[in-house]
Each structure stands twice: as C-alpha cells, then as structure tokens.
C-alpha cells in the first residue's frame, strides 16, 4: 500500500489538493497547489457535435485509464492555467461501460459559451482533476479568463 497510488492507474497520485466544495463552480483562492500543474497523465481532445450543453461521451481509453477498479462518480474541471474556478461534474456510465460528462457539464458549457464545432483539449493530472483548453470555430484558443462575461458584442444562444 505504500507508494504512489497503491498500484491503481490514474488514482491517488498525491497531488496535495485542497478539500473540494460541492458547488459546481467553485471560486478558490489561488495557491501554489492550484497554479503548479503536475505531470500530465493523460490528454485527449473532444470535438463538440450536436448540442454542446448535452451530455458528452469521453474517449474509451480515458475511461479505462481513470476508472481502474473503481469508477469515479465525479470529475473536476478547471480552466487551463487558472485555479480560480472549478466545476464538479457528475459522471454516468451506460451498460457498455461508456463514460459521459453529465450533471455540472451544462453549467461549464454555458459559462464558456461552448458551441458545436468547438474543440476541447482535456489534460488529466490525477485525482480526478482535468484542465480544459477551449478552441473555437477558428481553431484558435479562447482566452476564457477575459471572454466569459456578459460584455460581448456577440449574440447569446
């Protein structure tokens, strides 16, 4: 049992995270633990198709990697390079073991004004924590720190 993770892949990596709040979008104080990202354990890309606010299936290899013997009930999403906001997103699984982002995802998607065709780069650092980079229809990264307020000239959905 000693060591990092007790032999389970993707769990218990000892990142020293602070306790999590049950709030879907949790402002947290910027701290060294949140600002310094550990080694990348897994990365994947999602291209949003259909309703970007609906449930989203995660790639099977990631589901296998993070699940191990114990399927996580939640994942914690945060904006890449920002420790200020985190979204706790419930996971659901179908009868074939496919993994989906569910409750909490819609708030994340609306907050970032996600649209069909956007590309999301997810980086997994362990302990159910994922950072997300958002690329819009121009294939350029959106700077979500400045763009998710209501002061925009673009039309809302």
């Amino acid at each position: 049992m000693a060591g990092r993770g007790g032999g389970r892949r993707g769990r218990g990596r000892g990142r020293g995270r602070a306790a999590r709040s049950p709030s879907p979008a949790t402002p947290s104080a910027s701290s060294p633990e949140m600002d310094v990202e550990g080694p990348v354990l897994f990365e994947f890309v999602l291209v949003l198709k259909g309703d970007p606010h609906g449930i989203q299936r995660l790639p099977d290899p990631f589901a296998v990697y993070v699940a191990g013997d114990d399927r996580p009930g939640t994942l914690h999403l945060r904006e890449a390079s920002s420790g200020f906001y985190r979204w706790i997103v419930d996971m659901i699984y179908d009868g074939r073991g496919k993994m989906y982002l569910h409750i909490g995802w819609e708030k994340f998607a609306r907050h970032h004004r996600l649209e069909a065709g956007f590309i999301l780069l997810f980086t997994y650092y362990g302990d159910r924590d994922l950072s997300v980079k958002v690329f819009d229809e121009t294939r350029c990264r959106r700077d979500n720190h400045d763009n998710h307020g209501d002061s925009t000239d673009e039309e809302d959905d």
Side-chain angles (χ1 to χ4, degrees), residues 11-147:
R11 297 183 47 86
R13 297 291 186 188
R15 298 262 306 132
R17 298 268 188 214
R20 309 237 182 340
S21 168
S23 172
T26 306
S28 63
S30 181
S31 68
E33 290 121 343
M34 294 302 296
D35 293 338
V36 177
E37 296 172 341
V40 173
L41 300 178
F42 205 101
E43 285 189 305
F44 61 92
V45 173
L46 280 183
V47 177
L48 296 176
K49 299 176 182 173
D51 180 9
H53 303 132
I55 65 172
Q56 299 293 320
R57 181 175 163 192
L58 299 178
D60 293 343
F62 176 71
V64 169
Y65 180 83
V66 73
D69 295 331
D70 182 26
R71 294 178 174 173
T74 61
L75 289 176
H76 307 105
L77 305 182
R78 66 180 171 86
E79 299 172 20
S81 304
S82 173
F84 296 110
Y85 288 99
R86 297 159 51 107
W87 287 262
I88 298 173
V89 178
D90 288 344
M91 307 308 303
I92 58 172
Y93 300 85
D94 67 13
R96 300 172 300 164
K98 307 300 181 191
M99 184 179 194
Y100 298 84
L101 297 169
H102 188 37
I103 297 173
W105 171 253
E106 182 177 359
K107 284 188 177 188
F108 179 88
R110 288 193 187 283
H111 181 80
H112 292 88
R113 294 190 319 263
L114 300 182
E115 299 176 17
F118 279 23
I119 297 171
L120 307 179
L121 172 62
F122 289 84
T123 304
Y124 183 66
Y125 295 101
D127 292 333
R128 298 181 294 173
D129 288 323
L130 286 165
S131 73
V132 183
K133 292 181 182 177
V134 178
F135 297 83
D136 64 19
E137 67 280 353
T138 68
R139 304 302 185 239
C140 294
R141 183 172 172 201
R142 292 186 49 189
D143 183 10
N144 287 311
H145 311 142
D146 298 328
N147 289 334

